[in-house]
Amino acid sequence: SGKVHIAENNKHVFTATPGNVFGEHSVLMGSLRNCTALCANGCVVQELQGKDFRQLVQTTPEILTSLRDLCMRREFKKAVVLRLKKEFPYDNPRKAFDAVKSKNSRDDRLDFRAIAKLMRELNPDYTDEEIVEIMNTIDLANSGAVSFDEFKKVFVADIRKSASV
């Protein structure tokens, strides 16, 4: 119950509301935590130990796939927040999209190079394979690039859902 605000470098990335998960990044990616969670409105959370989490995803591959997609989308949002140096602009998704888009891009789409550059600002160790995985979670048409419409659907189509992504 309540809300948990997730921030990167003191900039709000998303709010976990009842039924959402957070804290999956370090277990899924095998790395240290990279965000701060702040309880608001008298939150009550359930904790799942790392070993129990790993056992759950080993027995249910669909959960692992869904959580990795969620994690990759959140990583993308963190990178946008880092580039903008302010909270993710849910009320103006064009601003977030344009912050990622290459200045030399001939069309209104995010290609691999633009997303790779963004993600490597967040973490220079991102591999091409990891960046392709991130692209695959937001490239809904599987076209090899992300349109603004796809971007909006993934991050702001339903603000209650997208705020947790």
Side-chain angles (χ1 to χ4, degrees):
S1 63
K3 295 180 179 180
V4 178
H5 299 293
I6 309 299
E8 166 82 12
N9 293 326
N10 295 319
K11 304 288 188 248
H12 182 263
V13 178
F14 72 95
T15 299
T17 56
N20 289 151
V21 298
F22 64 93
E24 77 292 336
H25 178 270
S26 60
V27 177
L28 285 172
M29 306 308 277
S31 62
L32 298 175
R33 292 185 176 169
N34 61 3
C35 282
T36 303
L38 205 61
C39 179
N41 302 333
C43 64
V44 175
V45 298
Q46 290 183 314
E47 180 181 8
L48 185 62
Q49 295 293 319
K51 66 180 178 64
D52 297 327
F53 179 83
R54 285 186 287 280
Q55 183 178 9
L56 174 66
V57 298
Q58 285 175 342
T59 59
T60 314
E62 297 83 11
I63 290 177
L64 178 60
T65 300
S66 294
L67 288 173
R68 276 199 69 89
D69 284 355
L70 176 71
C71 187
M72 294 293 102
R73 289 176 179 181
R74 286 179 176 173
E75 283 295 285
F76 183 89
K77 282 174 62 174
K78 288 179 212 172
V80 170
V81 166
L82 179 68
R83 182 172 281 178
L84 290 173
K85 296 180 175 64
K86 62 181 185 175
E87 295 182 6
F88 192 90
Y90 291 105
D91 58 338
N92 186 359
R94 173 53 72 176
K95 186 173 195 168
F97 185 86
D98 288 347
V100 178
K101 193 171 76 170
S102 170
K103 303 236 188 291
N104 300 330
S105 179
R106 292 181 217 154
D107 59 10
D108 200 29
R109 296 160 38 108
L110 305 178
D111 61 13
F112 177 85
R113 281 183 283 160
I115 292 174
K117 183 176 180 193
L118 174 80
M119 297 313 299
R120 288 184 175 130
E121 288 172 12
L122 178 68
N123 179 354
D125 296 329
Y126 263 110
T127 65
D128 286 353
E129 292 79 19
E130 290 168 325
I131 292 165
V132 167
E133 185 178 2
I134 290 168
M135 279 196 68
N136 289 341
T137 68
I138 56 179
D139 178 11
L140 302 178
N142 296 317
S143 66
V146 179
S147 70
F148 180 62
D149 285 339
E150 288 171 309
F151 185 88
K152 283 192 311 186
K153 285 178 185 172
V154 169
F155 294 109
V156 294
D158 179 344
I159 196 68
R160 289 181 306 271
K161 289 180 185 172
S162 66
S164 69
V165 171

